[in-house]
Amino acid sequence: MRVTTGRATQLDSRMFTVVVEAFGLGTQRRAERRLSVAFAQLQSTMQAVAQRGGRITAVYAAGAELPPAPATAPAIAPANSPAETSTVPPKPAAVSHANVPVNLYKPKDPFLGTVTENYSLLAEGAIGRVNHITFDLSGGDPQLHYLEGQSIGIIPDGEDANGKPNKLRLYSIASTRHGDNMAGHTVSLCVRQLQYEKDGETVNGVCSTFLCDIEPGSKVKITGPVGKEMLLPDDEEANVIMFATGTGIAPMRTYLRRMFESTEREKNGWKFRGKAWLFMGSPTTANLLYDDDFNQYVEEYPDNFRYTKAISREQQNTSGGRMYIQDRVSENADEIFALIEDPKTHAYMCGLRGMEPGIDEAMTTAAAAKGLNWAELRPALKKADRWHVETY
């Protein structure tokens, strides 16, 4: 059905009711919906409905007598623009939260893990200090096991300024459920030493320094695991978009090892066939974490994995400023949204909380260019278990 707009202008104040079917999420998609649309937005709204698989069954001018809505139709708030009527594709099979291990060990009764290795992840000339640390979890009752996307707590030795035992800090796990050695009884972390200036002096983070300094053979109090927000879908054909900065790469490493590491693929029986796309933000090339592994995955699985870097102190954006992860999002907006329109696509964000506003701004601009409202689309994706964020 086509509605001719003739020589209408933005000043035309007429309103229309568009009756659609198979448009929306869940039960809404199965029900008839009625959208109130301004004349100037009518044509673009109809195009948006068609692009998202909806069917337009009728268009009525305001004031016309409408047939009664089906009793099962949900109430729909008036919409004045295609952005307000847009939505995401139907919700895919939910990420399975069944049998997810949580709080097997608590702060009052932690597990004592043994450090098996502790080495730097940075190349020469890098800024700061970031280490990869692995703990042996053998001998626990129950066995401390976990899934990709979860976190564990570390209780550092010593006491705080008030003479009380140090409190735990949570760290995203950087190894798959099988561990780096595939034996199923280790866990690895990616830890940046926190340092900041106070009253002219450098202050070192308590737990991060404890971990970066710890020697193999040492015992460490471990709690958890915790978290269900960052779990991967079980679908081997899912698409996964990842946004990470710094040690926010930890959960992304677990996903990518599970997808593409040859020994892991043999072990887990989960043969990923979808598309994975990592956007990684770093101040310098020397600060890129697990870069060699990711480059290898690109070589081995060019049809399934894409790796886009934003190196702020070495690359420039189109305006001549520093290249940040949000600039890469803007550059690739059309392809990102083409993936997001697929109900099998999940997006994951991890890193410093300061990365969120920049990515939100980039997604808002990109969405607007497609006639979409990111402020509405993002919570819809979240509700559909397709937008996963863990920032700190």
Side-chain angles (χ1 to χ4, degrees), residues 270-291:
W270 189 73
K271 307 303 181 187
F272 181 76
R273 300 186 298 275
K275 294 188 182 299
W277 192 352
L278 171 62
F279 289 84
M280 178 62 187
S282 175
T284 70
T285 298
N287 281 86
L288 286 169
L289 307 178
Y290 309 110
D291 187 51

Side-chain angles (χ1 to χ4, degrees), residues 166-194:
N166 284 317
K167 295 181 180 179
L168 72 83
R169 273 73 162 179
L170 289 175
Y171 291 90
S172 297
I173 294 170
S175 51
T176 71
R177 67 190 72 180
H178 299 117
D180 289 348
N181 65 359
M182 303 296 161
H185 58 72
T186 65
V187 64
S188 298
L189 300 179
C190 169
V191 178
R192 178 182 71 87
Q193 183 186 28
L194 173 64

Side-chain angles (χ1 to χ4, degrees), residues 168-348:
L168 72 83
R169 273 73 162 179
L170 289 175
Y171 291 90
S172 297
I173 294 170
S175 51
T176 71
R177 67 190 72 180
H178 299 117
D180 289 348
N181 65 359
M182 303 296 161
H185 58 72
T186 65
V187 64
S188 298
L189 300 179
C190 169
V191 178
R192 178 182 71 87
Q193 183 186 28
L194 173 64
Q195 288 187 318
Y196 59 93
E197 297 295 322
K198 183 178 181 181
D199 300 328
E201 295 185 359
T202 299
V203 179
N204 294 326
V206 173
C207 194
S208 61
T209 302
F210 167 76
L211 287 173
C212 286
D213 286 344
I214 203 163
E215 297 288 338
S218 301
K219 299 291 185 179
V220 178
K221 301 182 187 73
I222 301 175
T223 68
V226 297
K228 297 183 179 181
E229 168 64 23
M230 299 288 283
L231 300 180
L232 275 175
D234 292 330
D235 188 354
E236 293 178 340
E237 296 182 354
N239 301 314
V240 179
I241 305 173
M242 296 158 279
F243 307 101
T245 58
T247 55
I249 196 62
M252 315 310 178
R253 179 185 187 250
T254 75
Y255 308 154
L256 293 170
R257 282 180 68 82
R258 184 158 165 76
M259 293 170 184
F260 303 123
E261 190 68 31
S262 58
T263 50
E264 179 70 36
R265 284 171 67 91
E266 294 171 6
K267 181 84 173 180
N268 62 34
W270 189 73
K271 307 303 181 187
F272 181 76
R273 300 186 298 275
K275 294 188 182 299
W277 192 352
L278 171 62
F279 289 84
M280 178 62 187
S282 175
T284 70
T285 298
N287 281 86
L288 286 169
L289 307 178
Y290 309 110
D291 187 51
D292 290 342
D293 293 340
F294 301 155
N295 286 323
Q296 179 181 333
Y297 300 156
V298 171
E299 292 181 8
E300 294 179 353
Y301 298 92
D303 295 332
N304 302 95
F305 180 47
R306 188 167 174 180
Y307 182 23
T308 302
K309 309 171 192 180
I311 306 175
S312 61
R313 302 193 184 188
E314 298 175 8
Q315 298 173 333
Q316 289 187 332
N317 59 26
T318 55
S319 300
R322 288 187 172 185
M323 176 67 75
Y324 293 108
I325 196 168
Q326 59 263 33
D327 299 309
R328 292 301 192 195
V329 171
S330 296
E331 290 176 355
N332 296 277
D334 287 345
E335 292 176 272
I336 291 172
F337 272 90
L339 279 173
I340 286 177
E341 288 173 346
D342 185 336
K344 291 187 177 220
T345 298
H346 289 250
Y348 296 82

